[in-house]
Amino acid sequence: MGIQAFDEIMGAAGGDGGRPELAELCRWLDDTPDEELRRRQESAETTFRQLGITFAVYGESDASERIIPFDIVPRVFLADEWARLSEGLVQRVEAINAFLVDIYGERRILKEGVLPEDLILGNAQFRPEIAGIRPPHDVWAHICGIDLVRTGPDEFFVLEDNARTPSGVSYMLENREAMVRLCPELFAQFRVAAVDLYPDMLLETMRSVSPRGCGQNPTCVVLTPGHYNSAYYEHSFLADSMGIELVEAADLVVDDDIVYMRTIAGRVKVDVIYRRVDDDYLDPLVFRPDSMLGVPGLIAAYAAGNVAILNAPGNGIADDKAIYSYMPEIVRFYSGGEAKLPNVETWRCREPQALKYVLEHLDEVVVKLVDGSGGYGMLVGPTASKAEIERFRAALIANPDRYIAQPTLALSTVPTLVERGVAPRHVDFRPFVLTGSKGVKVVPGGLTRVALREGSLVVNSSQGGGTKDSFVLMDKPAVMTQSLGGMTQTIGGGASTVQTTGSL
């Protein structure tokens, strides 16, 4: 294994007998032959392949044929664990939204010296073109994926914030559908909170932030770069699940600062756009003039208050990893309290003393690009070769502002089906948090990513990682922690029935 880690099913360092609260799951693992687990897992992956649930690794010729491996053993959160996580997630996302409102507005946090001004105004992710624009209802971060890691029974840390176009929710939903179909006995043993309300929650969020005066039935669309994009399946899946149109740039036109969708029946005014196009390509009149993926005039329509864009343009500054390192101060500044979900200790290589420490401990730390994603541009010191370490040393010395570093954590493990049977593998977790005009909602589940290679800490799908279903257990079927707007959902049967009414 390498690093000794807390196992979320078996307990401290994979102890015998498992955690008492999850005794039924341990018995299920003991009683189900590996061959049967493998048969079910292969059945799920065959279904994913038939449905076209694939992702692309840019630069690889076989990218279109690849699925993210699925693991049949679920990851489980107890009700009290989830309640604490939800409180921390709500606090953090509220702070992210307040931060975005501020830095594109009054910039109080800069005036009061909490953040260095150059870290914001000189950051490539800061969009001066957006400054002064107020999105409908002052909501910027509508959809957030907050990546968490666990190191012990009560030790959760935020690894990074994703406030641009966080992906992976389709895997959360498809993984659950596969588990309900292939492992119904688990839903008879555990009361598991439903996640299949997500499309309804997302559509409700979109409608809630539609511009004022657009009526009770705003026209909402999903804007995709097209079918060559690595997450195209997710774009089409969500549009279909919400019952709204999936559009590309050519399907939209802006006239007199109003966005219209071209249809066979003529133009239809668009009120809300869930965009899966990066800022750089969103509007060639404002950002990259060579973009064929964006809509000319879209930002002018947005500035005029005629259309809502989810997530708001300019949000990339909130998930820059250098900004992440200041999140405890950001949460304190806007909430008045300490962060309920702590950061991983982070060294900002732009600071001389931090850079000196990192250069002296490259074989012990994890180094990341401040604007990196997907596991690219990252050094995991303890597993890196001497040549890799020296390459990073040169890169750090040349451009220290581009990097942060963190200690190598003993990430928690979850039993995982591998070639030789069931064995522990390291995991992280991406819950999804929605913010609309009616407040913040935490989806009761999320995307668990698992590092399938023994001892590996890199869970990204582009680096060989897989996914698991994430069970949130409920003490009582009707008790949840965040508002779902009064929606009700029932899944399973018998002891597995979960009713989510009122608050989640």
Side-chain angles (χ1 to χ4, degrees), residues 227-246:
H227 66 278
Y228 290 112
N229 184 266
S230 62
Y232 180 75
Y233 171 81
E234 180 160 295
H235 308 165
S236 59
F237 174 89
L238 288 173
D240 184 61
S241 298
M242 290 187 285
I244 64 178
E245 294 295 329
L246 179 69

Side-chain angles (χ1 to χ4, degrees), residues 228-425:
Y228 290 112
N229 184 266
S230 62
Y232 180 75
Y233 171 81
E234 180 160 295
H235 308 165
S236 59
F237 174 89
L238 288 173
D240 184 61
S241 298
M242 290 187 285
I244 64 178
E245 294 295 329
L246 179 69
V247 299
E248 297 183 30
D251 299 314
L252 301 179
V253 63
V254 178
D255 189 357
D256 197 21
D257 290 345
I258 295 175
V259 182
Y260 294 95
M261 174 173 53
R262 295 184 172 100
T263 75
I264 57 173
R267 290 180 173 183
V268 175
K269 182 176 179 290
V270 174
D271 304 297
V272 185
I273 299 174
Y274 174 24
R275 55 87 176 227
R276 296 299 293 262
V277 176
D278 291 342
D279 282 357
D280 279 342
Y281 303 95
L282 199 54
D283 182 342
L285 300 183
V286 176
F287 302 119
R288 286 186 54 156
D290 61 341
S291 172
M292 302 296 290
L293 304 176
V295 182
L298 179 58
I299 297 302
Y302 176 63
N306 293 327
V307 68
I309 301 176
L310 284 69
N311 279 331
N315 271 21
I317 190 70
D319 63 26
D320 179 271
K321 293 179 179 64
I323 302 300
Y324 155 90
S325 70
Y326 284 96
M327 276 305 295
E329 291 87 346
I330 291 171
V331 170
R332 190 182 306 118
F333 183 79
Y334 295 110
S335 74
E338 297 302 312
K340 296 177 181 178
L341 283 174
N343 273 19
V344 176
E345 183 183 7
T346 302
W347 295 282
R348 295 182 281 264
C349 296
R350 70 197 303 270
E351 299 172 358
Q353 284 303 113
L355 176 62
K356 181 176 183 294
Y357 177 86
V358 172
L359 290 173
E360 291 172 352
H361 297 83
L362 274 177
D363 60 341
E364 302 172 14
V365 301
V366 176
V367 183
K368 301 177 182 178
L369 283 166
V370 295
D371 58 351
S373 63
Y376 295 107
M378 183 170 74
L379 174 78
V380 181
T383 61
S385 67
K386 289 183 178 180
E388 288 172 324
I389 288 174
E390 291 311 310
R391 280 199 299 272
F392 261 82
R393 187 183 307 280
L396 279 165
I397 293 170
N399 295 289
D401 288 11
R402 297 193 65 203
Y403 295 92
I404 56 96
Q406 296 171 328
T408 305
L409 300 178
L411 302 187
S412 62
T413 60
V414 174
T416 300
L417 185 63
V418 295
E419 285 188 14
R420 69 172 187 270
V422 175
R425 291 292 185 266

Side-chain angles (χ1 to χ4, degrees), residues 183-196:
C183 303
E185 66 273 21
L186 290 179
F187 296 88
Q189 293 168 337
F190 297 106
R191 290 195 294 266
V192 181
V195 296
D196 54 355

Side-chain angles (χ1 to χ4, degrees), residues 139-267:
V139 180
W140 288 76
H142 309 83
I143 306 157
C144 287
I146 308 297
D147 288 353
L148 303 173
V149 293
R150 187 177 193 175
T151 58
D154 299 307
E155 297 169 347
F156 291 90
F157 297 90
V158 177
L159 189 62
E160 60 185 58
D161 303 294
N162 295 280
R164 280 177 275 190
T165 54
S167 62
V169 73
S170 60
Y171 282 93
M172 173 187 78
L173 297 171
E174 294 289 6
N175 286 353
R176 175 58 53 82
E177 184 172 330
M179 289 296 291
V180 169
R181 176 170 59 87
L182 296 170
C183 303
E185 66 273 21
L186 290 179
F187 296 88
Q189 293 168 337
F190 297 106
R191 290 195 294 266
V192 181
V195 296
D196 54 355
L197 278 175
Y198 180 83
D200 294 332
M201 294 171 66
L202 177 57
L203 184 58
E204 181 191 22
T205 298
M206 294 179 70
R207 288 173 171 166
S208 79
V209 297
S210 59
R212 294 170 180 81
C214 71
Q216 296 300 311
N217 294 300
T219 298
C220 304
V221 300
V222 177
L223 174 62
T224 177
H227 66 278
Y228 290 112
N229 184 266
S230 62
Y232 180 75
Y233 171 81
E234 180 160 295
H235 308 165
S236 59
F237 174 89
L238 288 173
D240 184 61
S241 298
M242 290 187 285
I244 64 178
E245 294 295 329
L246 179 69
V247 299
E248 297 183 30
D251 299 314
L252 301 179
V253 63
V254 178
D255 189 357
D256 197 21
D257 290 345
I258 295 175
V259 182
Y260 294 95
M261 174 173 53
R262 295 184 172 100
T263 75
I264 57 173
R267 290 180 173 183

